Amino acid sequence: DAGVIQSPRHEVTEMGQEVTLRCKPISGHNSLFWYRQTMMRGLELLIYFNNNVPIDDSGMPEDRFSAKMPNASFSTLKIQPSEPRDSAVYFCASSFGSSGSREQYFGPGTRLTVT
Amino acid sequence: GESVGLHLPTLSVQEGDNSIINCAYSNSASDYFIWYKQESGKGPQFIIDIRSNMDKRQGQRVTVLLNKTVKHLSLQIAATQPGDSAVYFCAENEGGGNKLTFGTGTQLKVEL
């Protein structure tokens, strides 16, 4: 079975440019999470969706960041305009969202470098 | 200037020895805990989980211990192998919601 799919795997862009990261969760999962990982701050939850609805976006650093989930099989995280301090690895994760197992399955990540 | 990053605790063990990785959690209302393994260049991978109504759970070569009194979680890896070298994260969840709160991680290095 395919796991969580993220694209691109690597992105290098110049400051001020728009960046769009993409995620396809595991089929059947109803919760989707966006994380950012840096050496400075570790693994941070940015936002998560339940049944395509944003539930908690308190981790989104500022208005330059936005996330959408137009359907159950696709989500985007957009940064506009990008800044060098946005350089990080961005992970998408999905889960079944039941009270039985709360395990989140992580994608391989997108390594973003903003110069 | 020099950038300051998270100082990950590091555990170095000899191949074949047992490893114990510790984690202190903060929320006494947390009732579900997970250990993840993250290898270099990859996303975190699930290892084992435990609910708060249990003190111990065993998997293949791994055991998780939970002490709710002192809010402490540990991961024991038996007969540590070079492939176990990674950063290990504990995560906690409260009340059945979907949000996991991750710890800062521990770097495990296996020496041959």
Side-chain angles (χ1 to χ4, degrees):
Chain A
D1 288 341
V4 174
I5 298 172
Q6 291 187 249
S7 65
R9 293 294 311 277
H10 302 273
E11 177 82 25
V12 180
T13 192
E14 292 183 347
M15 181 174 65
Q17 296 298 306
E18 176 182 305
V19 174
T20 299
L21 310 182
R22 296 173 176 81
C23 176
K24 177 178 170 55
I26 292 173
S27 178
H29 284 190
N30 59 1
S31 295
L32 184 140
F33 307 80
W34 282 101
Y35 290 88
R36 177 172 68 177
Q37 187 174 43
T38 62
M39 287 298 295
M40 294 289 289
R41 302 173 69 91
L43 192 63
E44 304 173 274
L45 176 66
L46 302 177
I47 185 171
Y48 84 89
F49 295 82
N50 204 30
N51 295 321
N52 312 340
V53 176
I55 302 299
D56 183 349
D57 65 354
S58 59
M60 296 287 263
E62 46 196 277
D63 292 346
R64 297 185 298 107
F65 285 69
S66 63
K68 294 182 179 179
M69 192 165 186
N71 57 61
S73 59
F74 184 66
S75 177
T76 59
L77 177 68
K78 184 179 293 185
I79 308 172
Q80 180 183 23
S82 58
E83 296 182 4
R85 61 193 169 119
D86 302 330
S87 297
V89 180
Y90 290 81
F91 288 104
C92 176
S94 69
S95 73
F96 188 62
S98 71
S99 60
S101 173
R102 298 169 231 177
E103 176 189 351
Q104 294 177 17
Y105 295 77
F106 282 77
T110 295
R111 181 173 293 277
L112 173 65
T113 303
V114 183
T115 61
Chain B
E2 183 180 14
S3 64
V4 178
L6 283 175
H7 173 65
L8 280 184
T10 299
L11 175 66
S12 295
V13 299
Q14 293 290 321
E15 182 181 6
D17 287 352
N18 297 334
S19 303
I20 300 176
I21 301 171
N22 296 304
C23 176
Y25 63 93
S26 55
N27 186 352
S28 57
S30 291
D31 62 350
Y32 178 78
F33 305 88
I34 293 184
W35 280 99
Y36 280 89
K37 171 187 179 184
Q38 186 176 22
E39 296 175 275
S40 180
K42 297 183 178 180
Q45 294 177 286
F46 171 87
I47 302 174
I48 191 167
D49 59 2
I50 188 169
R51 300 186 183 285
S52 59
N53 61 354
M54 302 172 68
D55 297 324
K56 178 179 180 180
R57 190 167 188 219
Q58 289 185 292
Q60 190 173 25
R61 276 201 312 120
V62 295
T63 300
V64 56
L65 299 178
L66 175 62
N67 185 331
K68 295 180 288 294
T69 303
V70 294
K71 293 189 286 187
H72 183 268
L73 198 64
S74 69
L75 177 71
Q76 300 178 359
I77 304 173
T80 311
Q81 302 169 359
D84 295 327
S85 293
V87 176
Y88 290 80
F89 293 94
C90 66
E92 58 184 302
N93 172 265
E94 176 189 346
N98 295 343
K99 187 174 177 179
L100 291 176
T101 302
F102 284 81
T104 55
T106 296
Q107 174 82 54
L108 175 65
K109 294 184 178 180
V110 181
E111 298 169 351
L112 304 177

